[in-house]
Amino acid sequence: TPSFKTHPDTGLLVLRLGLGALMLFHGIYKATHGVAWIAGPLAKHGLPAWLMYGVYIAEIVAPSMLIFGVWTRIAGLIIAFDMVMAIWLARWADIGKVNPMGGAWAIEVEAGFLIMALALALAGGGRYGLTKS
């Protein structure tokens, strides 16, 4: 039987770069198009509108932290919280639905980001980064 060497640090780097890049696209979109629309769902749940600016931290700062390997566990927790809030505020009605365009779970993107972020929060970012997690 062949023996395959594992590379967990390289796997964590791929996970960090992948989640960081994908989330950063969301953040750049919001930086160029605004976040005012988030005030409505926040108000509907009795939360103050100023919380909408947290999206910039969760979708620009935290993904940048992942890409550079700086405080990966904290960045993962920030992104996980952002995804929990996104599901609760905007996608709650879709939790039990299937996407009609592909037969997939309607919130699979948010759930995938949440799972990846939690994995990094628990595992850390590995040795390939600016800080050790």
Side-chain angles (χ1 to χ4, degrees):
T1 60
S3 174
F4 296 102
K5 186 176 178 191
T6 62
H7 301 278
D9 290 313
T10 306
L12 290 169
L13 173 65
V14 169
L15 182 58
R16 271 190 13 237
L17 293 176
L19 178 58
L22 292 171
M23 284 299 299
L24 194 54
F25 278 107
H26 288 262
I28 290 169
Y29 179 85
K30 289 180 179 93
T32 58
H33 292 83
V35 293
W37 63 271
I38 300 172
L42 287 168
K44 181 180 169 189
H45 288 86
L47 298 171
W50 61 263
L51 288 175
M52 67 187 165
Y53 297 107
V55 168
Y56 294 128
I57 294 168
E59 297 185 12
I60 295 175
V61 176
S64 298
M65 291 166 63
L66 290 183
I67 290 167
F68 290 106
V70 177
W71 301 320
T72 299
R73 291 175 190 261
I74 293 169
L77 287 174
I78 292 169
I79 293 171
F81 179 76
D82 182 55
M83 288 299 102
V84 167
M85 292 300 290
I87 292 167
W88 181 51
L89 294 174
R91 302 300 308 271
W92 194 256
D94 296 328
I95 285 180
K97 294 181 180 174
V98 173
N99 181 338
M101 298 302 290
W105 191 19
I107 65 163
E108 71 180 5
V109 170
E110 294 85 355
F113 287 168
L114 173 60
I115 292 164
M116 289 186 281
L118 287 175
L120 287 169
L122 293 169
R127 66 179 174 166
Y128 303 124
L130 297 179
T131 61
K132 303 296 177 215
S133 11

